[in-house]
Amino acid sequence: MSEPTRILAVDDSRSTLEVLKRNLEPEGYEVYTCERVDEALPLLEDLAIDLVITDYRMPQATGMDLIRHVRANYPDMEIMMITGYPSIPGAVEAIKDGAGEYLAKPFTTEELLSAVERIVEKQARRRVFCSPATPPDNFGIIGMSPEMDQVFQRIGKAAATDANVLISGDSGTGKELVARAVHYNSARRTASFVPVNCTAIPDSLVESELFGHVKGAFTGAKDGRAGFFEIANGGSIFLDEIGDASPNMQAKLLRVIQSKEFCKVGSSRVHTVDTRILAATHKDLRRMVDEGSFREDLFYRINVVDIRVPPLAERGDDVLVLVNHFLNKFSKAMHRTPPRITDEALAVLGGFGWPGNVRELENLIQRLVVIVDHDPIDVADLPDPMRFCLSSVSGGNRSLADVESEHIRHVLAMTGGNKTRAAEVLGINRKTLREKLKRMEGE
């Protein structure tokens, strides 16, 4: 069971502290309170505080002083500013100096809980993002989600046997990585792993590619050549996208899998082969069998152990772990320090649907590392489809005006108060931004 989130509330108003404590503790938060900044400092040292909620104006040291102290000494701690004197400049200053949320008094219970929930979710994203990319027992494949745990369990079971394996999953999910994990953790690890793209072999060359040919077997065959199965003898052959195999290829594959024998093109000599079959497809082979476009006997030959690789959208926080991995990977290749990435950008990346799966994510991070020449990477640097989905990760149960005002404050803080840059990120002109800011100041 995870530890409860620890919150330290600092406010010179005892009634406000009581409101915070009364509303947050029933939600499972562990709340500590104090009325002055100097009282808060020892608590910060002694307790593993996750979130500081501080008033803006207090006697002696202010909330801004506390924010700067926390940022200088506890960089992983989250901060929320509350105040009875709301202003756009104050919000910009607070968020720019490190406050994750800015809440104006009086606030409703719903507004408070929603703000705290957003902060806790952001903190959880950041912690996942900074976690080790390859936990033990995952065969070198990056992933910590329950969905990937099931994949790792299947890999372990398949690797302990010599059974044929069918790996299914959408394009870009990493089916070849799974196949390699099975091979290199099996008794065949010292022999060859031979990948074969079933889509790329012309029907006229199927037999020659799979089984090889002898010299003079056909026009242009000046020398003999070993086929994929001969090369994979003693090891594993990976039949990628087997669902795209032609009827001719399916027949040839069935024969060699059943008999473990083949003849090279142009020769009658029978060769015996000991090769494990690892096949992969993004198609529904069972449906293809029912439709008659895939051989039922071949399907059952290759589908002894089945491993489904989930799409990236089903893998939860694995997206953030992969973002961190690819940032480090491509930065190292370019001999540069990995760029930082804002919490807002992480939220967008974590909430995106990723139709291209891990391959799409890897391509995007590589492009960002190559193209973006400033630090940190933020929402404005992401492709338009991702920027437009920002609202889907901003939280619910609030009015459109509230969501808009909060987002504008965040963007202004992110751009250091630069209205031209903020307008560019928001996709509006400076005049529209000025009008929105006037309306917000009058709220």
Side-chain angles (χ1 to χ4, degrees):
M1 185 175 178
S2 59
E3 292 289 325
T5 298
R6 290 184 173 182
I7 298 175
L8 174 60
V10 186
D11 197 306
D12 59 341
S13 167
R14 291 186 179 181
S15 60
T16 298
L17 293 177
E18 179 59 31
V19 167
L20 293 173
K21 196 174 182 69
R22 186 174 64 246
N23 286 301
L24 292 172
E25 286 188 335
E27 299 299 320
Y29 300 109
E30 195 173 302
V31 182
Y32 301 85
T33 62
C34 52
E35 298 177 20
R36 298 197 312 272
V37 172
D38 60 340
E39 294 176 354
L41 301 184
L43 292 176
L44 291 174
E45 291 183 10
D46 297 339
L47 300 171
I49 297 296
D50 298 296
L51 166 62
V52 172
I53 300 178
T54 179
D55 190 17
Y56 184 76
R57 293 188 181 181
M58 289 183 288
Q60 300 175 349
T62 68
M64 292 306 304
D65 295 324
L66 180 57
I67 287 178
R68 295 183 185 108
H69 175 81
V70 170
R71 276 292 153 261
N73 296 279
Y74 309 98
D76 296 330
M77 198 175 292
E78 293 295 332
I79 306 169
M80 182 168 75
M81 172 73 76
I82 56 175
T83 179
Y85 307 91
S87 69
I88 295 300
V92 170
E93 182 185 14
I95 295 175
K96 182 179 177 182
D97 284 346
E101 292 281 344
Y102 186 90
L103 198 60
K105 299 178 184 177
F107 47 80
T108 66
T109 299
E110 183 179 339
E111 289 172 336
L112 171 65
L113 295 179
S114 180
V116 171
E117 183 179 352
R118 288 194 299 274
I119 289 180
V120 171
E121 289 176 352
K122 181 178 73 172
Q123 188 174 56
R125 280 194 299 269
R126 180 61 60 178
R127 286 173 176 172
V128 170
F129 174 73
C130 297
S131 62
T134 53
D137 304 324
N138 66 352
F139 306 97
I141 299 174
I142 295 171
M144 301 186 300
S145 62
E147 291 76 14
M148 287 305 293
D149 282 342
Q150 295 180 17
V151 173
F152 300 145
Q153 290 175 22
R154 283 297 181 100
I155 291 174
K157 291 178 180 178
T161 73
D162 209 30
N164 294 336
V165 180
L166 177 62
I167 306 164
S168 61
D170 296 343
S171 296
T173 51
K175 295 186 290 293
E176 184 171 342
L177 283 178
V178 172
R180 289 181 180 274
V182 172
H183 171 76
Y184 288 109
N185 287 276
S186 73
R188 295 176 178 267
R189 66 178 67 89
T190 57
S192 299
F193 174 89
V194 180
V196 178
N197 186 345
C198 296
T199 307
I201 302 177
D203 216 32
S204 59
L205 296 178
V206 165
E207 197 166 6
S208 174
E209 290 292 310
L210 293 180
F211 310 128
H213 60 261
V214 297
K215 181 179 180 180
F218 49 83
T219 302
K222 297 180 180 180
D223 298 295
R225 176 184 176 279
F228 291 128
F229 272 89
E230 185 177 357
I231 297 171
N233 190 33
S236 304
I237 188 166
F238 174 55
L239 302 174
D240 194 16
E241 296 303 348
I242 195 170
D244 292 329
S246 67
N248 178 43
M249 177 182 281
Q250 291 180 40
K252 303 294 184 186
L253 288 172
L254 178 63
R255 178 181 174 186
V256 71
I257 292 171
Q258 284 179 326
S259 66
K260 299 187 181 298
E261 294 178 344
F262 67 89
C263 293
K264 292 187 177 184
V265 176
S267 171
S268 59
R269 180 186 172 190
V270 176
H271 295 262
T272 301
V273 65
D274 173 26
T275 302
R276 182 188 201 168
I277 307 298
L278 303 172
T281 182
H282 72 283
K283 295 184 175 181
D284 185 345
L285 293 190
R286 289 186 182 275
R287 182 176 57 80
M288 292 178 66
V289 168
D290 293 339
E291 294 172 350
S293 57
F294 197 85
R295 296 184 63 127
E296 184 176 23
D297 43 9
L298 177 58
F299 174 73
Y300 288 116
R301 287 286 182 178
I302 62 176
N303 189 30
V304 179
V305 177
D306 66 297
I307 300 176
R308 176 185 177 269
V309 186
L312 190 53
E314 293 181 8
R315 293 176 53 181
D317 290 338
D318 282 354
V319 174
L320 305 180
V321 180
L322 285 162
V323 168
N324 192 16
H325 168 73
F326 291 135
L327 278 176
N328 285 284
K329 172 185 174 181
F330 294 119
S331 298
K332 183 178 180 180
M334 294 181 62
H335 306 288
R336 58 172 289 188
T337 301
R340 293 175 298 121
I341 184 165
T342 65
D343 292 306
E344 291 78 9
L346 280 181
V348 172
L349 292 171
F352 189 62
W354 299 108
N357 293 293
V358 179
R359 186 182 296 125
E360 180 184 11
L361 175 61
E362 181 176 16
N363 177 269
L364 170 65
I365 300 304
Q366 183 178 22
R367 187 162 71 249
L368 292 174
V369 171
V370 171
I371 294 176
V372 177
D373 54 5
H374 57 261
D375 195 357
I377 293 171
D378 60 28
V379 175
D381 301 309
L382 303 179
D384 286 347
M386 295 182 187
R387 292 170 59 186
F388 295 154
C389 83
L390 179 63
S391 60
S392 67
V393 296
S394 297
N397 300 320
R398 290 180 295 161
S399 70
L400 179 60
D402 287 343
V403 173
E404 180 185 70
S405 297
E406 178 195 336
H407 183 49
I408 289 174
R409 289 189 179 100
H410 275 286
V411 172
L412 277 168
M414 184 174 64
T415 59
N418 185 322
K419 293 184 176 61
T420 300
R421 176 77 170 136
E424 178 185 340
V425 172
L426 294 165
I428 58 179
N429 57 44
R430 276 181 57 89
K431 180 180 178 182
T432 301
L433 178 59
R434 284 198 301 270
E435 292 172 351
K436 289 181 180 294
L437 291 176
K438 287 180 181 179
R439 175 182 59 77
M440 290 164 60
E441 288 178 339
E443 289 178 348

